[in-house]
Amino acid sequence: MADSKPLCSRDGDPMAAEALLRDVFGIIVDEVIRKGTSASEKVCEWKEPEELKQLLDLELRNQGEASEQILARCRAVIRYSVKTCHPRFFNQLFSGWDPHALAGRIVTESLNTSQYTYEIAPVFVLMEEEVLKKLRALVGWSSGDGVFCPGGSISNMYAVNLARYQRYPDCKQRGLRALPPLALFTSKECHYSIKKGAAFLGLGTDSVRIVKTDERGKMIPEDLERQIGLAEAEGAVPFLVSATSGTTVLGAFDPLEAIADVCQRHGLWLHVDVSETWRRGLRLRSSQLTRLCSAHPRADSVAWNPHKLLTAGLQCSALLLRDTSNLLRRCHGSQASYLFQQDKFYDVALDTGDKVVQCGRRVDCLKLWLMWKAQGGQGLERRVDQAFALAWYLVEELKKREGFELVMEPEFVNVCFWFVPPSLRGRQKCPDYSERLAKVAPVLKERMVKAGSMMIGYQPHGTRGNFFRMVVANPALTRADMDFLLNELERLGQDL
């Protein structure tokens, strides 16, 4: 029989646990919130892998450690991690932080529940549906369904699976034996998760037909029509088109109205990946993005990541559906009797866990809900407007300086450009110019990371050599940060 007295261990000392957490929260406030958001501090403190292993002492041992050592380890983890909330972190499509969203994440982690039944997550089941309802309204739907997913890639995979199930419901039981050769269509600028999803779902990457894009990276509807005809001529059955609003690199918006017309003519599921953007429902430089996103209400599904431009924090990714036939539950449900009993004392429709492939599912709605409560739609709108204004400011400043060249005029907050060092200026006609220019961004990236001064992503794109992709997303950014970016690149590259 178990002793009624508390165990003589760390687990049995609530005062010590509380003291530890207070100390950890203090470290977080000092090292992450204060220093991690200060422009006078480094974005990162770069260490080579072997040195970092030694500094962190990663080995797990049989004996536990004292609280003082645990706190030192927390400080070390923070010290050597990249500060994504830093105003000079431009590397990813997510950056910055929101205090209310972070508060929501802390509460979520503390409660440690799973979002699958009303009996263990009553607050969050109701909250998730209210947040999804609001997001659907911004898309333009008065009804529908949806779920929070572990990232935009999974949202895109869910959309492919749902479209397949809607066309061939027998595949849930009979698998690939129930299917003819299928074809789905997307542009070469799409997120790589579309091909990954096709492979994961057993369709194979050959089922993904790549549609041509124009010079700005937008899908060409006429080529989509042509690709559909080619697939049918080869004996494949078209079932889905995945369009993109705000591509990962160039920030391009596919012409959704024309694509929706093609889907309607051929009876295809239209999925729109807006994971990199925020919706038109917040005016976001109103007329421009309203025009770019105007066909979203005609989509069958939308993938959307508030953890990017809205800084809700990783992860916060929603899959939204126009469907009202309970397609999510029919496609993914397995009616596990130990979770989803039908004779419960409340409305079992509130047990939403059978809509998803996961069993345990973390709560991702609270951080967005709490941030929205604090900021309001108007506050979030101003945040996005500010990002656009700073992106335009950066473009104009970039044009004024020698040695900077835009890849193209942006229409989103992705600003793509080359830094042309002094040795290459005026040598555009030299046969090795492009090859030499492509080597500049990797050198500058190494220098900035090792200095800890800032972080910017770079990549090649088609026939274009490596260029920088600057993402203006952090709500704490100012014009001074844009100026610093240009000045720092000039400083780092003055000897190239």
Side-chain angles (χ1 to χ4, degrees):
M1 182 178 293
D3 195 330
S4 60
K5 294 181 180 180
L7 294 173
C8 296
S9 71
R10 298 174 191 277
D11 297 332
D13 188 346
M15 297 297 291
E18 181 179 334
L20 173 68
L21 290 175
R22 289 184 183 278
D23 288 339
V24 170
F25 286 138
I27 292 171
I28 291 171
V29 171
D30 288 339
E31 302 296 328
V32 179
I33 305 305
R34 291 177 184 158
K35 293 182 181 178
T37 61
S38 172
S40 63
E41 300 285 340
K42 289 184 176 182
V43 176
C44 64
E45 187 169 332
W46 175 260
K47 300 293 180 184
E48 295 297 332
E50 289 306 316
E51 182 185 3
L52 186 57
K53 288 179 184 178
Q54 296 301 316
L55 288 167
L56 295 175
D57 184 21
L58 295 173
E59 181 185 352
L60 298 174
R61 302 179 180 88
N62 289 332
Q63 295 298 318
E65 298 178 337
S67 295
E68 293 75 14
Q69 184 63 39
I70 296 300
L71 294 175
R73 296 199 181 282
C74 290
R75 290 190 182 92
V77 167
I78 295 170
R79 177 179 178 179
Y80 298 115
S81 292
V82 175
K83 312 305 187 295
T84 63
C85 51
H86 195 283
R88 307 286 162 74
F89 177 82
F90 312 117
N91 209 66
Q92 254 61 53
L93 291 160
F94 65 88
S95 64
W97 74 295
D98 180 276
H100 310 98
L102 179 58
R105 292 153 72 187
I106 293 171
V107 172
T108 295
E109 293 300 315
S110 301
L111 290 172
N112 190 39
T113 192
S114 179
Q115 181 108 28
Y116 46 41
T117 62
Y118 182 78
E119 64 185 284
I120 69 160
V123 172
F124 299 127
V125 165
L126 299 179
M127 182 182 293
E128 181 178 61
E129 180 47 45
E130 186 62 31
V131 174
L132 291 170
K133 178 182 175 182
K134 181 66 173 182
L135 297 181
R136 288 194 301 267
L138 294 179
V139 171
W141 299 331
S142 59
S143 60
D145 205 349
V147 66
F148 278 91
C149 298
S153 293
I154 302 300
S155 297
N156 288 336
M157 292 182 194
Y158 267 88
V160 175
N161 199 42
L162 290 164
R164 179 175 66 176
Y165 175 83
Q166 185 190 57
R167 180 70 66 95
Y168 296 103
D170 285 350
C171 72
K172 180 178 179 180
Q173 180 176 350
R174 298 183 59 223
L176 299 180
R177 295 173 300 164
L179 301 174
L182 297 179
L184 62 102
F185 305 85
T186 192
S187 83
K188 65 179 184 178
E189 299 292 328
C190 76
H191 193 263
Y192 65 85
S193 61
I194 302 300
K195 280 196 171 184
K196 278 196 171 186
F200 184 79
L201 295 169
L203 297 170
T205 56
D206 285 349
S207 68
V208 181
R209 307 297 178 102
I210 301 300
V211 181
K212 293 179 181 178
T213 58
D214 62 18
E215 69 281 355
R216 294 195 58 85
K218 301 170 183 285
M219 184 187 292
I220 300 174
E222 293 78 12
D223 192 61
L224 171 61
E225 190 83 59
R226 184 182 70 86
Q227 291 282 357
I228 292 171
L230 287 175
E232 291 175 334
E234 294 170 7
V237 178
F239 75 106
L240 173 140
V241 174
S242 180
T244 310
S245 287
T247 58
T248 304
V249 176
L250 299 179
F253 288 73
D254 287 339
L256 297 181
E257 199 69 58
I259 292 170
D261 290 341
V262 174
C263 290
Q264 185 174 340
R265 282 196 296 272
H266 293 274
L268 305 182
W269 180 290
L270 174 57
H271 174 64
V272 182
D273 181 5
V274 297
S275 295
E276 319 300 359
T277 71
W278 180 238
R279 272 290 299 150
R280 67 183 175 87
L282 303 173
R283 282 185 298 113
L284 340 153
R285 311 213 26 112
S286 58
S287 60
Q288 181 182 9
L289 237 61
T290 298
R291 172 179 57 81
L292 292 169
C293 301
S294 60
H296 281 164
R298 298 179 65 185
D300 295 286
S301 57
V302 169
W304 195 357
N305 285 352
H307 67 237
K308 290 182 178 171
L309 193 53
L310 282 192
T311 66
L314 289 165
Q315 59 199 20
C316 191
S317 304
L319 174 69
L320 308 174
L321 299 176
R322 186 154 52 95
D323 172 79
T324 56
S325 70
N326 218 7
L327 182 65
L328 270 169
R329 197 183 299 268
R330 289 187 289 116
C331 181
H332 300 129
S334 61
Q335 298 85 46
S337 60
Y338 61 87
L339 277 178
F340 307 115
Q341 304 93 334
Q342 297 303 295
D343 55 356
K344 291 183 178 182
F345 59 91
Y346 58 84
D347 182 1
V348 295
L350 293 169
D351 290 349
T352 57
D354 234 9
K355 292 183 178 183
V356 297
V357 175
Q358 300 162 261
C359 178
R361 183 163 67 95
R362 65 175 291 146
V363 174
D364 286 327
C365 59
L366 175 58
K367 52 198 161 196
L368 179 56
W369 180 84
L370 204 61
M371 180 177 68
W372 205 311
K373 282 288 191 180
Q375 298 281 353
Q378 292 180 343
L380 297 178
E381 177 186 321
R382 287 192 297 270
R383 176 174 293 180
V384 177
D385 282 346
Q386 170 73 0
F388 272 78
L390 286 174
W392 304 152
Y393 173 80
L394 176 62
V395 169
E396 293 307 312
E397 291 301 305
L398 190 149
K399 290 176 180 178
K400 297 175 184 177
R401 300 202 186 198
E402 183 182 13
F404 291 90
E405 181 182 343
L406 277 174
V407 173
M408 63 177 61
E409 290 283 341
E411 60 182 351
F412 192 51
V413 295
N414 304 29
V415 181
C416 298
F417 65 92
W418 287 281
F419 174 74
V420 183
S423 66
L424 290 179
R425 292 171 192 170
R427 302 177 63 86
Q428 286 83 348
K429 295 182 179 180
C430 294
D432 63 345
Y433 174 80
S434 296
E435 180 182 352
R436 292 175 62 187
L437 182 61
K439 296 177 181 179
V440 172
V443 172
L444 294 181
K445 179 62 175 285
E446 179 180 0
R447 291 180 177 183
M448 70 178 72
V449 169
K450 289 185 174 179
S453 59
M454 63 182 183
M455 290 183 71
I456 317 173
Y458 73 86
Q459 63 285 303
H461 185 269
T463 60
R464 301 180 179 102
N466 287 320
F467 57 83
F468 288 112
R469 180 201 63 170
M470 164 67 182
V471 181
V472 184
N474 188 335
L477 293 178
T478 66
R479 289 188 174 190
D481 296 307
M482 303 298 100
D483 295 336
F484 174 86
L485 164 75
L486 301 178
N487 293 336
E488 183 67 359
L489 286 174
E490 289 177 334
R491 185 186 72 83
L492 294 171
Q494 62 185 344
D495 63 334
L496 296 180

